Amino acid sequence: MSQRTRIRRHPERAVPEEWQDILARGMVAHLGFVQDGLPYVLPFSYHYDPAQPNLLYLHGSVKSRAIRHLAAGAPVCVEVTLLDGLVYSRDAQYHSMNYRSVVCFGTARPISDKAEKEAILERMTRRYFPGRTLGQDYAPAHPQQLRGTAVLEVRIEEWSAKARRGGPRGPRDADPTAPGTCGVVDLTGKG
Ligand SMILES: Cc1cc2nc3c(=O)[nH]c(=O)nc-3n(C[C@H](O)[C@H](O)[C@H](O)COP(=O)(O)OP(=O)(O)OC[C@H]3O[C@@H](n4cnc5c(N)ncnc54)[C@H](O)[C@@H]3O)c2cc1C
């Protein structure tokens, strides 16, 4: 951990043991990078497997500005959030969200080997659509489609993971006789 990844606000919410699980469950990664002195954040799908914890994969058109920029070795920040709940309180200031999130820093390199590229794309498809089988439920990509698709391997150099859990923490939220209402809107689908 360096100054860049040290959680200063609510350090008790650091969940370093959960970082791989959060990346493995996430659906959308927000990629932050600087190009020509300007900051950009773009949403991307991604592949992640805790068996290779420091590697994360991206794909996109070889013509994509973001893909080309990252393939050239620009530093990238990758953020993934799982939104677990909306927390409402009897007091305005204590409305909040329950979440698990990871912020990673790293650099990318393009995967040029055709077989490796195909294998990563297949694993990525399986992560999003676990019940579907290549060759049965969907046909493989044509060579031309593969040539037009870049796959990037992001080597994660540093990361931090943070989570908020539980109910509202306002000064009157534990008092059922206080005016107003409080609670959590569960977004996990388990509540
Ligand atoms: C859930 C999700 C998953 C995605 N997954 C992928 C993926 O796996 N691979 C992939 O290549 N692309 C993906 N995209 C699209 C991606 O966000 C970019 O639009 C795309 O990669 C083109 O990036 P670019 O820098 O080349 O675009 P450019 O057209 O060069 O970007 C120029 C400007 O367009 C605007 N812009 C670009 N993208 C968006 C956006 N998504 N929303 C609003 N404004 C935007 C920004 O202002 C940006 O600075 C995904 C988008 C979403 C919402």
Side-chain angles (χ1 to χ4, degrees):
M1 190 200 302
S2 73
Q3 285 306 310
R4 185 165 67 161
T5 48
R6 186 168 66 82
I7 295 178
R8 296 173 184 79
R9 284 284 301 152
H10 288 295
E12 76 285 359
R13 292 184 183 168
V15 288
E17 68 286 359
E18 293 183 39
W19 76 285
Q20 294 175 17
D21 184 60
I22 297 167
L23 288 178
R25 288 174 192 271
M27 292 282 166
V28 179
H30 291 100
L31 308 185
F33 56 89
V34 174
Q35 189 175 28
D36 298 330
L38 291 175
Y40 294 90
V41 177
L42 291 183
F44 265 69
S45 57
Y46 67 99
H47 180 63
Y48 181 77
D49 180 351
Q52 293 181 299
N54 295 314
L55 301 179
L56 182 146
Y57 294 93
L58 306 169
H59 84 303
S61 164
V62 291
K63 294 180 182 157
S64 156
R65 176 274 307 246
I67 290 284
R68 288 160 68 107
H69 184 61
L70 296 183
V76 62
C77 180
V78 182
E79 182 274 347
V80 171
T81 292
L82 308 177
L83 186 58
D84 292 329
L86 303 176
V87 181
Y88 56 102
S89 165
R90 289 187 163 86
D91 287 281
Q93 192 183 342
Y94 291 88
H95 287 73
S96 189
M97 292 189 181
N98 282 341
Y99 63 85
R100 288 165 284 161
S101 55
V102 173
V103 173
C104 305
F105 297 92
T107 47
R109 71 169 182 103
I111 301 288
S112 46
D113 181 77
K114 181 174 169 283
E116 193 181 355
K117 221 165 119 173
E118 273 178 314
I120 293 164
L121 289 171
E122 192 200 336
R123 291 204 296 271
M124 180 169 176
T125 306
R126 248 191 287 138
R127 191 176 86 88
Y128 283 95
F129 306 97
R132 288 166 54 78
T133 305
L134 177 64
Q136 183 180 305
D137 296 305
Y138 64 100
H142 294 296
Q144 195 186 340
Q145 293 170 327
L146 265 184
R147 279 196 296 276
T149 304
V151 174
L152 304 187
E153 179 184 271
V154 178
R155 184 161 288 277
I156 300 171
E157 291 150 13
E158 267 195 282
W159 51 268
S160 53
K162 188 174 174 183
R164 185 203 188 277
R165 294 187 164 94
R169 310 223 170 94
R172 302 179 308 125
D173 290 331
D175 177 2
T177 64
T181 55
C182 68
V184 178
V185 179
D186 180 72
L187 298 178
T188 63
K190 294 181 199 152

